[in-house]
mmCIF file of all heavy atoms in Angstrom:
data_model
loop_
_atom_site.group_PDB
_atom_site.id
_atom_site.type_symbol
_atom_site.label_atom_id
_atom_site.label_comp_id
_atom_site.label_asym_id
_atom_site.label_seq_id
_atom_site.Cartn_x
_atom_site.Cartn_y
_atom_site.Cartn_z
ATOM 1 N N GLU A 45 -30.012 25.336 -78.217
ATOM 2 C CA GLU A 45 -30.425 24.528 -79.368
ATOM 3 C C GLU A 45 -30.838 25.421 -80.528
ATOM 4 O O GLU A 45 -30.629 25.091 -81.695
ATOM 5 C CB GLU A 45 -31.586 23.608 -78.974
ATOM 6 C CG GLU A 45 -32.054 22.675 -80.082
ATOM 7 C CD GLU A 45 -31.021 21.636 -80.472
ATOM 8 O OE1 GLU A 45 -30.254 21.196 -79.582
ATOM 9 O OE2 GLU A 45 -30.962 21.273 -81.666
ATOM 10 N N ASN A 46 -31.442 26.565 -80.194
ATOM 11 C CA ASN A 46 -31.910 27.511 -81.201
ATOM 12 C C ASN A 46 -30.870 28.613 -81.376
ATOM 13 O O ASN A 46 -30.728 29.498 -80.528
ATOM 14 C CB ASN A 46 -33.255 28.111 -80.781
ATOM 15 C CG ASN A 46 -33.752 29.185 -81.734
ATOM 16 O OD1 ASN A 46 -33.264 29.318 -82.854
ATOM 17 N ND2 ASN A 46 -34.735 29.963 -81.288
ATOM 18 N N ALA A 47 -30.130 28.592 -82.481
ATOM 19 C CA ALA A 47 -29.060 29.564 -82.706
ATOM 20 C C ALA A 47 -29.587 30.976 -82.907
ATOM 21 O O ALA A 47 -28.814 31.938 -82.859
ATOM 22 C CB ALA A 47 -28.226 29.147 -83.918
ATOM 23 N N ASN A 48 -30.886 31.134 -83.138
ATOM 24 C CA ASN A 48 -31.464 32.460 -83.340
ATOM 25 C C ASN A 48 -31.882 33.141 -82.043
ATOM 26 O O ASN A 48 -32.364 34.279 -82.067
ATOM 27 C CB ASN A 48 -32.679 32.368 -84.270
ATOM 28 C CG ASN A 48 -32.310 31.905 -85.667
ATOM 29 O OD1 ASN A 48 -31.305 32.349 -86.221
ATOM 30 N ND2 ASN A 48 -33.097 30.998 -86.224
ATOM 31 N N VAL A 49 -31.718 32.462 -80.929
ATOM 32 C CA VAL A 49 -32.153 33.029 -79.661
ATOM 33 C C VAL A 49 -31.299 34.257 -79.322
ATOM 34 O O VAL A 49 -30.102 34.309 -79.595
ATOM 35 C CB VAL A 49 -32.072 31.988 -78.535
ATOM 36 C CG1 VAL A 49 -30.636 31.580 -78.233
ATOM 37 C CG2 VAL A 49 -32.740 32.517 -77.272
ATOM 38 N N LYS A 50 -31.931 35.253 -78.716
ATOM 39 C CA LYS A 50 -31.261 36.469 -78.280
ATOM 40 C C LYS A 50 -31.066 36.391 -76.766
ATOM 41 O O LYS A 50 -32.042 36.314 -76.014
ATOM 42 C CB LYS A 50 -32.083 37.696 -78.661
ATOM 43 C CG LYS A 50 -32.246 37.879 -80.166
ATOM 44 C CD LYS A 50 -33.196 39.019 -80.490
ATOM 45 C CE LYS A 50 -33.244 39.307 -81.984
ATOM 46 N NZ LYS A 50 -33.703 38.148 -82.771
ATOM 47 N N ILE A 51 -29.822 36.400 -76.334
ATOM 48 C CA ILE A 51 -29.476 36.326 -74.918
ATOM 49 C C ILE A 51 -28.944 37.693 -74.501
ATOM 50 O O ILE A 51 -27.802 38.047 -74.797
ATOM 51 C CB ILE A 51 -28.443 35.207 -74.658
ATOM 52 C CG1 ILE A 51 -29.027 33.853 -75.079
ATOM 53 C CG2 ILE A 51 -28.024 35.177 -73.197
ATOM 54 C CD1 ILE A 51 -28.072 32.679 -74.911
ATOM 55 N N TYR A 52 -29.790 38.490 -73.837
ATOM 56 C CA TYR A 52 -29.478 39.883 -73.532
ATOM 57 C C TYR A 52 -29.597 40.157 -72.036
ATOM 58 O O TYR A 52 -30.522 39.677 -71.363
ATOM 59 C CB TYR A 52 -30.433 40.833 -74.263
ATOM 60 C CG TYR A 52 -30.382 40.794 -75.777
ATOM 61 C CD1 TYR A 52 -31.451 41.268 -76.539
ATOM 62 C CD2 TYR A 52 -29.278 40.290 -76.463
ATOM 63 C CE1 TYR A 52 -31.421 41.255 -77.932
ATOM 64 C CE2 TYR A 52 -29.244 40.262 -77.850
ATOM 65 C CZ TYR A 52 -30.310 40.745 -78.579
ATOM 66 O OH TYR A 52 -30.282 40.726 -79.958
ATOM 67 N N ASN A 53 -28.685 40.952 -71.528
ATOM 68 C CA ASN A 53 -28.771 41.529 -70.170
ATOM 69 C C ASN A 53 -28.762 40.490 -69.053
ATOM 70 O O ASN A 53 -29.331 40.724 -67.983
ATOM 71 C CB ASN A 53 -30.044 42.384 -70.019
ATOM 72 C CG ASN A 53 -30.079 43.590 -70.925
ATOM 73 O OD1 ASN A 53 -29.086 43.938 -71.555
ATOM 74 N ND2 ASN A 53 -31.230 44.234 -71.008
ATOM 75 N N ASN A 54 -28.099 39.374 -69.262
ATOM 76 C CA ASN A 54 -28.082 38.316 -68.251
ATOM 77 C C ASN A 54 -26.787 38.317 -67.436
ATOM 78 O O ASN A 54 -25.780 38.924 -67.829
ATOM 79 C CB ASN A 54 -28.240 36.952 -68.924
ATOM 80 C CG ASN A 54 -29.556 36.816 -69.650
ATOM 81 O OD1 ASN A 54 -30.591 36.557 -69.041
ATOM 82 N ND2 ASN A 54 -29.531 36.983 -70.966
ATOM 83 N N ILE A 55 -26.816 37.618 -66.322
ATOM 84 C CA ILE A 55 -25.610 37.266 -65.576
ATOM 85 C C ILE A 55 -25.530 35.748 -65.555
ATOM 86 O O ILE A 55 -26.471 35.070 -65.118
ATOM 87 C CB ILE A 55 -25.652 37.799 -64.129
ATOM 88 C CG1 ILE A 55 -25.800 39.322 -64.119
ATOM 89 C CG2 ILE A 55 -24.385 37.386 -63.383
ATOM 90 C CD1 ILE A 55 -25.988 39.905 -62.722
ATOM 91 N N ILE A 56 -24.411 35.217 -66.044
ATOM 92 C CA ILE A 56 -24.214 33.760 -66.119
ATOM 93 C C ILE A 56 -22.880 33.464 -65.444
ATOM 94 O O ILE A 56 -21.811 33.832 -65.951
ATOM 95 C CB ILE A 56 -24.214 33.285 -67.587
ATOM 96 C CG1 ILE A 56 -25.474 33.786 -68.316
ATOM 97 C CG2 ILE A 56 -24.144 31.764 -67.659
ATOM 98 C CD1 ILE A 56 -25.428 33.579 -69.821
ATOM 99 N N TRP A 57 -22.916 32.775 -64.317
ATOM 100 C CA TRP A 57 -21.706 32.691 -63.479
ATOM 101 C C TRP A 57 -21.766 31.481 -62.547
ATOM 102 O O TRP A 57 -22.836 31.112 -62.058
ATOM 103 C CB TRP A 57 -21.599 33.977 -62.661
ATOM 104 C CG TRP A 57 -20.435 34.078 -61.731
ATOM 105 C CD1 TRP A 57 -19.170 34.491 -62.018
ATOM 106 C CD2 TRP A 57 -20.447 33.781 -60.323
ATOM 107 N NE1 TRP A 57 -18.395 34.482 -60.882
ATOM 108 C CE2 TRP A 57 -19.157 34.054 -59.829
ATOM 109 C CE3 TRP A 57 -21.434 33.332 -59.444
ATOM 110 C CZ2 TRP A 57 -18.819 33.865 -58.488
ATOM 111 C CZ3 TRP A 57 -21.097 33.143 -58.105
ATOM 112 C CH2 TRP A 57 -19.796 33.420 -57.651
ATOM 113 N N GLY A 58 -20.620 30.856 -62.339
ATOM 114 C CA GLY A 58 -20.497 29.805 -61.325
ATOM 115 C C GLY A 58 -21.110 28.474 -61.690
ATOM 116 O O GLY A 58 -21.268 27.600 -60.825
ATOM 117 N N ASN A 59 -21.476 28.283 -62.968
ATOM 118 C CA ASN A 59 -22.059 27.006 -63.398
ATOM 119 C C ASN A 59 -20.927 26.046 -63.769
ATOM 120 O O ASN A 59 -19.955 26.437 -64.426
ATOM 121 C CB ASN A 59 -22.987 27.238 -64.579
ATOM 122 C CG ASN A 59 -24.085 28.238 -64.229
ATOM 123 O OD1 ASN A 59 -24.984 27.935 -63.456
ATOM 124 N ND2 ASN A 59 -23.999 29.448 -64.794
#
Side-chain angles (χ1 to χ4, degrees):
E45 183 66 33
N46 176 15
N48 296 318
V49 66
K50 297 174 174 60
I51 300 178
Y52 297 160
N53 296 350
N54 298 280
I55 301 174
I56 307 169
W57 179 85
N59 303 289

